[in-house]
Amino acid sequence: MQLDHYLSQAHRVCVLTGAGVSAESGIPTFRDAQSGFWASFDPAELATPEAFRRDPQRVWSWYAMRRRMARSVEPNAAHRALAALEPRYDAFTLVTQNVDDLHGRAGSRNVLEIHGNILRARCAGGCVTVHRDDGSDLAAAVFAADQPAAADTSTAGRQSDAAGESHTAGAPDAAGEAVPTCPECGDYFRPDVVWFGETLPPELIDQAFTAAADCDLFLLIGTSAEVYPAAGLPHAALERGAKVVEINPDPTAFSTRATLCIREPAAAYLSRFLEQRGS
Ligand code: BJW
Ligand code: ZN
């Protein structure tokens, strides 16, 4: 396979993934004209700090729905292939814009979640961050509306809430969910993700740019490469002499500069790749 050549020559690999890498697990992308989240919703009403200030319940409910969706699907062959590749290289950095935790669940270790993680929430006032599964009383209170993991069996695209109601993927919970408040300061909890106009965690984006500049192979998988600063990473790699291989069924903002474009869905392509390598 075309990718084999580049992988066999490489020593230091950096990967940037986006929503497309989780599409074959059943999670919608953002910008697909028909099925993407932004086809039904205005990002300005759901993914900005202003939106949260205006209507915290709407934003919290939308993320609660997406959190349940993320927990109800499984990592796919693309996630698994990236986890399998990691130990084979001197350096392997997986930078993801995804907040769905699927790379971690597939076994990847060196993952930089530069847009956050939907399973965490933090006090909007800055007091505390809490992970849904940390076993604390605070986590139980903040994520009270989540289904127990054992009940997370709905197929992607249809979700059932604790009361047994079902919701179409992408629709904020019609009933809405109370936004939990911080026991320290009383401010709202918000999802621990990066919204438009917010800065990315500086140490993570610094590590990501260092890995991009230091790699000899950069893989750009399942991202439209439109959102900055993440979209600057393949440019940084190319400028330092790395090969950049894109895996995406459709052209992206970076395609014309890529060394190689593999025009296939990532999981379908990488599952064949895993089979041929016998891993
Ligand atoms: C498949 C597939 C399959 C389908 N297999 N592939 C420089 C220039 C211009 C603007 C800016 C700039 N610097 C900053 C900005 C402003 C802004 C920005 O970039 N705007 C652009 C849209 C123009 N950036 C920011 O605000 C960032 N903050 C920042 O820079 O702070 C400093 C600053 C502030 C203000 C001004 C200037 C500087 C923060 C960005 C945060 C993005 N947040 C979101 C939400 C995160 C939480 C959540 O998940 O809800 O992140 S928005 C959304 O977009 C999400 C994604 O991570 C991100 C990227 O999307 P992604 O993953 O690429 O998805 P899609 O849908 O776009 O593409 C999917 C791809 O998959 C497609 O190509 C498909 O073909 C493909 N695909 N099936 C493989 N099976
Ligand atoms: Zn607080």
Side-chain angles (χ1 to χ4, degrees), residues 129-228:
T129 299
V130 59
H131 191 286
R132 174 191 185 270
D133 301 325
D134 70 13
S136 66
D137 291 345
L138 184 60
V142 170
F143 298 103
D146 281 27
Q147 297 177 64
D152 279 348
T153 53
S154 57
T155 53
R158 298 291 295 177
Q159 308 297 314
S160 298
D161 67 15
E165 294 172 54
S166 75
H167 305 277
T168 302
D173 188 319
E177 278 176 23
V179 188
T181 52
C182 175
E184 300 291 324
C185 73
D187 208 339
Y188 287 125
F189 272 97
R190 54 162 285 179
D192 191 16
V193 300
V194 182
W195 287 323
F196 284 114
E198 295 187 314
T199 52
L200 283 69
E203 67 286 1
L204 293 190
I205 195 67
D206 284 356
Q207 283 179 51
F209 271 95
T210 301
D214 283 353
C215 73
D216 46 24
L217 176 63
F218 189 100
L219 304 178
L220 186 65
I221 309 180
T223 175
S224 59
E226 287 181 14
V227 175
Y228 283 83

Side-chain angles (χ1 to χ4, degrees), residues 16-25 27-32 35-38 43 46-48 62-63 66 76 78 96-100 114-118 190-200 220-231 246-253 262-269:
L16 175 65
T17 64
V21 87
S22 296
E24 288 152 277
S25 289
I27 298 184
T29 64
F30 291 95
R31 292 172 181 78
D32 183 274
S35 63
F37 283 125
W38 298 160
L46 291 168
T48 65
W62 190 64
Y63 279 93
R66 286 183 52 204
N76 64 48
T96 188
Q97 300 166 88
N98 299 344
V99 299
D100 56 27
I114 56 174
H115 288 170
N117 186 312
I118 204 169
R190 54 162 285 179
D192 191 16
V193 300
V194 182
W195 287 323
F196 284 114
E198 295 187 314
T199 52
L200 283 69
L220 186 65
I221 309 180
T223 175
S224 59
E226 287 181 14
V227 175
Y228 283 83
E246 174 175 281
I247 306 178
N248 194 313
D250 294 315
T252 75
I262 296 167
R263 288 273 166 261
E264 290 197 50
Y269 177 79

Side-chain angles (χ1 to χ4, degrees), residues 15 71 74 84 107 110 129 173 183 230-231 268:
V15 186
R71 295 300 298 166
E74 296 299 326
N110 191 22
T129 299
D173 188 319

